[in-house]
Amino acid sequence: MKNTNRVTLLPALLAALWIPMSAMAAPPTPEWLPEAPPLPPPEGQVIEVETVEEFFEAVEAVEPGGTILLADGHYAMPR
């Protein structure tokens, strides 16, 4: 006799493991934690990137003392 319990439980297991994106948001900043001072303006070479591929290219191309500016967003790094 074939055991089909594993097959019928799979959707329930996957649903239980699913994490909503809101749960992955940054935690709130505690009130006692002071705000970080603003960064100085970048000097030298500045490379602006908006994608993971642009980021990897910028890492290879940026000169010493240069700056890579990342656009707001989530960057899923494959490596």
Side-chain angles (χ1 to χ4, degrees):
M1 178 182 218
K2 217 179 205 185
N3 185 349
T4 58
N5 288 341
R6 284 183 277 177
V7 175
T8 57
L9 291 177
L10 184 59
L13 178 61
L14 291 175
L17 293 175
W18 180 78
I19 300 171
M21 291 303 290
S22 62
M24 297 176 68
T29 304
E31 293 178 19
W32 54 265
L33 187 64
E35 188 173 323
L39 295 172
E43 296 180 5
Q45 179 189 25
V46 177
I47 302 175
E48 296 182 23
V49 300
E50 296 181 357
T51 67
V52 171
E53 286 306 315
E54 288 178 356
F55 175 72
F56 286 130
E57 291 171 9
V59 168
E60 296 294 325
V62 70
E63 298 169 357
T67 302
I68 299 172
L69 295 177
L70 295 172
D72 289 342
H74 295 270
Y75 294 84
M77 298 293 178
R79 55 184 170 166

